Amino acid sequence: MRTKRASRLAACTALVLSAGMLLAGPASADSAPAGPHAVVKAPKTAAGPTETPSRTKAPLKAPNKAPNKAKRSLTAGADAAGVAKPRFDVSGTGYSGTLIRDADSKLYLESWDGNANPEFTNSLGAYKDLILPGDLGGGSAPEVLELSPTGTLTLHADTDATGVGYSAWYGSGWNMFNKVVSVADVTGDGHNDLLARTPGGDLYLYAGTGNLSAPFAAGKKVGSNWSMFDQIVGANDVNGDGLGDVYGRTPNGDLYFYAGTGNAANPLKAGVKVGFGWDIYNQIVAVDDQNGDGRGDLIARDLSGHIWTYYGQADGKLTTRAARGQGWYTVQFFPSGGNPTYGKQDLFGLDGSGTLNYYWGQGDGYLSKVNPGKPGGWDGVHYLSAPSSLNTSERWASILEMGSNGDLYTNANYVGGGWNIYNTVIGVGDLTGEGNGDLIARQGSNGHLYLYPGNGQATGVYSRIDVGAGWNAYDKLFGAGDINGDGLSDLLARTPDGTLYLYAGTGNAKAPFKGRVKIGTGWNMYSANKLAVPGDLTGDGRSDVVAVDGSGNLWRYDADGSGGLKSRVKIGFGWNTYKYGIY
């Protein structure tokens, strides 16, 4: 029965450009601010769950139609080649390119010249992030660093315009960091370096060696309190001294500039605030020299998918932004400023007829519907949830089903029996720090919460770990990824009186959660089966909350980067058709 049911999970999808919301740009810290912070276009109209644009067929779990490249527009950059050596000039133009992953999971090379994006040949499989460090070995071609969901960092050497190069080195344990940043040369020895940040905010320098078989020296702590930034960008040489520089953006939108020193013991000067209002952007991307002046530049993407170029200046400040293109809300940029995410970015709704409808996050804060499977295919299901991906080879949610006899299945694969002792079985992501999605189960008889570490294959879990008792105090446990912005998966818990608590993840299997923090009240206005975390809907790397009210309106609560939630935004209507709930 599960095989047949799984075979029904096929539908169609498309990516449609949004009218979106156009915001004025962040102000610089100089005398020429970019403009007022005001909405100059109407927000996107909320959509009903049955309004589905024309789509082409694709497997449910991997939408495979990328945005129409003609609709994804781009204004070409300047014609003159830059002075600074670009880190990812694989086309020999003198300008640095960027890699982008589309919703079809294909990788494309963006050269920022206004031409169509060629698909970038690779055999990388599943990856959480790609870092573009430039030339690490003294050759003529740049390298690519691939970060796997389980924390393996692999160096692919001599990458060119035809695709990713050969594997020359790898190292494990990089999942101890929530952000790894290419910063060009900050030590002054001519070799490009890396900076890496822990969830606690400690900053480590991995100095480049110039040797591809051992590309980095041992990590050395060079800073603390870097958790104040929700985005960190290695911008190459901005001030013209030949050293790499760094920008950090706080959740409230302040932008700081850190100039390189050339000293490995203290590679960055003190930060200088150079802008504010940058919280209107969900990603900030280093593009090296784009206008031929030899300085590192930035591109920033807003929620509506517009991208803007900021040119670097000698003091680290940035020029007034220039419009560069639109329709970019669905893509992941490499490198990007925000913490990399991996796992659930989609939502399921089970209607009264037993039809399971699928939606995936477009990156603009809205959900795109995929046509459902066979009507009634899930009629009579005993228990259903959609945990963040339990399989490290897939970026999408898994389907978890429990029969009345206690048999548990994930994606139609048998996990085991006896699970009916639990009244809640969910998966919020990786709680143990090893990179695999895990399960959480609450036993109804005693209120104990158990952690089942996943094996990364969606076919089984390891022995349970008792998290503690008293969890029957909550009528809803839910989550899917990082809520508070530290790169670790978190859990949300609601009491019957409507108080919402955040249990921040630790990455430690023996004690997977920190103490609870109250983040809201009044959440009992929503039914327990009409609350869900579909993952990151807004493209900023943080997971967001959705809820359906009694009138069937769908609301989105964005994570604010500090452990709280922003005011709700209506993104749909007619969602009371989902009698059995959203997952």
Side-chain angles (χ1 to χ4, degrees):
M1 180 181 71
R2 272 70 188 179
T3 301
K4 290 180 179 179
R5 180 169 284 172
S7 69
R8 298 189 188 121
L9 300 182
C12 59
T13 187
L15 302 175
V16 183
L17 295 184
S18 164
M21 180 188 296
L22 181 61
L23 299 177
S28 302
D30 55 25
S31 59
H37 297 67
V39 177
V40 295
K41 284 189 178 180
K44 181 176 177 179
T45 303
T50 60
E51 295 183 349
T52 308
S54 174
R55 310 184 190 284
T56 53
K57 290 185 177 180
L60 172 71
K61 298 182 68 73
N64 70 351
K65 182 175 172 57
N68 187 326
K69 298 304 186 295
K71 293 182 178 179
R72 180 186 290 160
S73 65
L74 183 69
T75 302
D79 293 331
V83 178
K85 184 177 180 180
R87 284 172 291 180
F88 202 65
D89 178 19
V90 295
S91 303
T93 62
Y95 290 101
S96 186
T98 305
L99 293 178
I100 60 174
R101 179 163 59 184
D102 232 324
D104 56 6
S105 292
K106 293 181 179 179
L107 193 63
Y108 295 87
L109 172 65
E110 177 52 67
S111 299
W112 305 110
D113 57 6
N115 296 320
N117 308 324
E119 185 176 346
F120 205 62
T121 304
N122 72 91
S123 57
L124 298 178
Y127 54 91
K128 185 175 183 179
D129 199 8
L130 298 177
I131 299 104
L132 310 182
D135 176 23
L136 295 177
S140 59
E143 276 65 61
V144 171
L145 291 168
E146 169 203 359
L147 179 63
S148 76
T150 56
T152 298
L153 190 67
T154 303
L155 186 150
H156 298 273
D158 295 344
T159 295
D160 59 27
T162 64
V164 174
Y166 65 93
S167 177
W169 169 88
Y170 71 90
S172 60
W174 289 80
N175 47 357
M176 68 174 286
F177 302 111
N178 60 13
K179 186 66 182 174
V180 180
V181 186
S182 164
V183 291
D185 176 21
V186 293
T187 60
D189 61 0
H191 303 308
N192 285 355
D193 310 308
L194 293 182
L195 289 174
R197 181 187 62 182
T198 67
D202 291 335
L203 193 69
Y204 286 79
L205 169 70
Y206 286 83
T209 65
N211 179 3
L212 292 184
S213 62
F216 304 109
K220 180 180 179 181
K221 183 178 175 180
V222 293
S224 58
N225 298 320
W226 280 74
S227 55
M228 67 180 285
F229 298 119
D230 65 347
Q231 297 207 29
I232 301 174
V233 183
N236 207 336
D237 178 19
V238 176
N239 58 11
D241 62 1
L243 299 170
D245 304 312
V246 175
Y247 288 97
R249 200 271 306 266
T250 64
N252 68 355
D254 290 338
L255 190 71
Y256 289 82
F257 175 71
Y258 291 81
T261 65
N263 179 0
N266 188 23
L268 298 175
K269 296 180 181 179
V272 177
K273 184 177 177 179
V274 294
F276 60 90
W278 283 72
D279 52 329
I280 70 169
Y281 296 124
N282 55 22
Q283 287 296 339
I284 304 170
V285 182
V287 290
D288 291 358
D289 178 24
Q290 289 286 296
N291 62 349
D293 65 358
R295 304 186 189 281
D297 304 316
L298 300 180
I299 277 180
R301 180 184 66 187
D302 64 27
L303 186 62
S304 68
H306 288 76
I307 53 176
W308 309 84
T309 300
Y310 289 84
Y311 299 112
Q313 302 180 101
D315 57 2
K317 297 178 182 178
L318 298 157
T319 63
T320 301
R321 70 180 188 175
R324 194 65 182 274
Q326 60 183 341
W328 292 79
Y329 56 86
T330 60
V331 306
Q332 291 179 299
F333 291 101
F334 304 110
S336 59
N339 293 340
T341 59
Y342 193 88
K344 184 177 181 180
Q345 295 180 45
D346 34 18
L347 184 69
F348 294 84
L350 184 60
D351 65 22
S353 69
T355 301
L356 190 65
N357 295 268
Y358 173 71
Y359 299 80
W360 59 276
Q362 299 180 150
D364 63 349
Y366 290 80
L367 291 157
S368 180
K369 183 179 181 181
V370 178
N371 289 340
K374 183 178 179 180
W378 293 82
D379 189 31
V381 63
H382 178 69
Y383 181 91
L384 189 70
S385 68
S388 188
S389 180
L390 300 175
N391 190 336
T392 53
S393 65
E394 296 180 354
R395 294 193 293 134
W396 313 101
S398 299
I399 296 290
L400 186 149
E401 179 190 2
M402 182 167 58
S404 58
N405 63 352
D407 288 345
L408 189 69
Y409 295 82
T410 60
N411 294 347
N413 297 302
Y414 181 69
V415 175
W419 288 77
N420 49 357
I421 66 172
Y422 301 118
N423 59 17
T424 298
V425 183
I426 59 173
V428 300
D430 173 28
L431 293 173
T432 62
E434 90 293 0
N436 300 325
D438 309 313
L439 291 180
I440 300 172
R442 180 179 61 185
Q443 191 164 344
S445 62
N446 60 16
H448 276 254
L449 193 71
Y450 297 94
L451 168 64
Y452 284 86
N455 65 3
Q457 304 298 317
T459 57
V461 290
Y462 298 114
S463 298
R464 70 182 189 178
I465 300 169
D466 192 343
V467 175
W471 291 82
N472 273 343
Y474 302 111
D475 65 350
K476 178 70 174 182
L477 299 174
F478 62 118
D482 178 26
I483 301 290
N484 64 358
D486 64 0
L488 300 173
S489 294
D490 307 314
L491 177 68
L492 293 173
R494 187 190 70 175
T495 58
D497 68 358
T499 304
L500 190 66
Y501 295 93
L502 171 71
Y503 284 88
T506 65
N508 180 351
K510 294 181 179 180
F513 302 114
K514 298 179 182 178
R516 73 179 188 179
V517 176
K518 180 179 176 180
I519 63 171
T521 58
W523 284 78
N524 50 353
M525 67 179 291
Y526 302 117
S527 300
N529 67 341
K530 299 296 179 65
L531 274 172
V533 177
D536 176 22
L537 297 183
T538 57
D540 60 5
R542 299 188 291 263
S543 293
D544 308 304
V545 177
V546 293
V548 179
D549 65 22
S551 300
N553 296 311
L554 181 68
W555 301 91
R556 187 188 78 237
Y557 292 83
D558 297 342
D560 65 8
S562 300
L565 298 172
K566 300 179 183 178
S567 298
R568 68 182 189 175
V569 177
K570 184 179 177 181
I571 62 172
F573 59 88
W575 282 71
N576 46 4
T577 188
Y578 296 123
K579 175 181 178 181
Y580 297 115
I582 58 176
Y583 311 97

